[in-house]
Amino acid sequence: MSSILISRPALAAEIDKVAEVAGYLWQKGWAERNGGNITINITEFADDEMRRMPAISQPLSIGATLPALKNGFFYCKGTQKRMRDLARDPMANGSIIRILDDCAHYVIIADQPVMPTSELPSHLSVHNYLLSQGIPYNASMHTHPIELVAMTHHRKFLEKDVASNLLWSMIPETKAFCPRGLGMVPYQLPSSVELAESTIAELPDYDVVMWEKHGVFAVDTDIMAAFDQVDVLNKAAQIYVTSRNMGFEPEGMSPEQMHELSVAFNLPK
Ligand code: 13P
Ligand code: ZN
């Protein structure tokens, strides 16, 4: 095991969860080649010794200035690294970075100089937003779930809350376990700062957002919870697609049934 993890069992447990989820993403068929990325805010595990660890890279630009991340630590999937490889060896397919005092650059500190994901602007902008709002979420995940992405190829599903309401009505657990629904981010170039900004704009209302014709971006307390939200949404999308494949438009739960569920489970919308 890597030395930074061997002396920090709580951090090792978080990285183990990332590896477990990476395996699920591959098994689901959501992580072709290097598709998808995960970052985890691990600042809470940074003791004095970790804070003194030397950089093993030059200072690298984030592409944005993110004041809430000053001297923060993150585990990041490496760019061009495969989830199926990360599942076996997270420290060879990702790295730990420290944000510098200027809040606009970072250095890699462990284990190897693996360059972080190309979607780092989105991930770090999202962590900056979460911290600045005092939201206790440590994990962000981007993945390519087949049925959810397919839905974004139809205009009607891009309208606000159309997909959320349809998916919630496919199976009661969807709203119970993804109560804030699915935000929509119009198509933007992958890895762009514009994509990061559009993602942030949705987070006041949603924990999971669709990147049109690309994938989802989800945040939650830990990586397992972020995965679960995407998993229940995509299950609902699969039920919709399966019904359509059986030759009919699914009926969906009625507005009365949805209302009853929201009251019973004390759900927000
Ligand atoms: P990375 O390999 O740089 O993480 O990119 C994968 C991806 O899904 C980009 O949107
Ligand atoms: Zn992607």
Side-chain angles (χ1 to χ4, degrees):
M1 200 201 265
S2 95
S3 58
I4 194 167
L5 298 185
I6 226 156
S7 51
R8 295 176 184 84
L11 174 58
E14 285 306 303
I15 304 297
D16 274 354
K17 280 195 271 180
V18 173
E20 186 177 338
V21 165
Y24 298 155
L25 297 176
W26 166 248
Q27 287 160 15
K28 288 264 176 199
W30 300 351
E32 72 290 348
R33 198 175 183 276
N34 61 310
N37 22 78
I38 292 171
T39 63
I40 307 288
N41 184 346
I42 56 167
T43 309
E44 67 181 290
F45 304 107
D47 48 35
D48 287 348
E49 190 193 340
M50 188 163 146
R51 291 190 171 276
R52 283 196 301 270
M53 282 175 67
I56 57 169
S57 74
Q58 295 299 312
L60 299 157
S61 173
I62 298 171
T65 303
L66 305 170
L69 300 191
K70 188 173 179 176
N71 296 318
F73 290 77
F74 295 85
Y75 169 84
C76 309
K77 193 206 83 155
T79 187
Q80 294 296 327
K81 298 297 185 188
R82 294 170 173 82
M83 288 292 181
R84 64 180 190 263
D85 293 335
L86 196 155
R88 279 186 292 104
D89 193 346
M91 295 306 282
N93 293 280
S95 54
I96 293 178
I97 66 169
R98 176 166 56 83
I99 310 296
L100 300 184
D101 282 344
D102 70 358
C103 305
H105 293 80
Y106 65 91
V107 289
I108 304 171
I109 60 156
D111 265 351
Q112 301 162 30
V114 173
M115 280 296 291
T117 171
S118 60
E119 300 289 4
L120 201 64
S122 284
H123 282 271
L124 291 185
S125 299
V126 164
H127 286 293
N128 183 66
Y129 168 82
L130 295 169
L131 284 166
S132 68
Q133 299 296 308
I135 299 169
Y137 283 5
N138 287 331
S140 62
M141 176 181 93
H142 161 59
T143 187
H144 301 165
I146 301 162
E147 290 80 6
L148 286 174
V149 175
M151 287 175 76
T152 69
H153 285 265
H154 196 303
R155 286 281 128 210
K156 78 172 172 188
F157 294 127
L158 300 177
E159 283 166 34
K160 189 170 171 59
D161 291 336
V162 169
S164 283
N165 286 317
L166 176 86
L167 294 169
W168 281 341
S169 80
M170 288 295 103
I171 173 168
E173 277 84 346
T174 313
K175 189 168 188 186
F177 298 124
C178 187
R180 304 181 80 214
L182 184 62
M184 285 290 162
V185 170
Y187 182 82
Q188 299 275 9
L189 188 69
S191 77
S192 62
V193 171
E194 291 76 16
L195 179 58
E197 286 167 357
S198 307
T199 304
I200 304 293
E202 293 295 298
L203 289 187
D205 295 325
Y206 305 95
D207 287 346
V208 188
V209 301
M210 283 301 312
W211 289 350
E212 180 187 336
K213 303 185 181 83
H214 180 172
V216 300
F217 195 98
V219 292
D220 212 319
T221 47
D222 74 352
I223 192 62
M224 211 56 82
F227 170 79
D228 281 338
Q229 290 211 60
V230 180
D231 196 24
V232 296
L233 285 170
N234 200 66
K235 174 68 172 276
Q238 285 178 313
I239 292 168
Y240 175 73
V241 171
T242 304
S243 300
R244 295 297 307 248
N245 285 343
M246 290 163 80
F248 59 87
E249 179 73 21
E251 198 170 78
M253 294 159 59
S254 69
E256 294 73 29
Q257 289 167 337
M258 292 306 305
H259 179 72
E260 179 192 41
L261 181 89
S262 298
V263 172
F265 283 75
N266 199 17
L267 304 176
K269 287 182 197 169

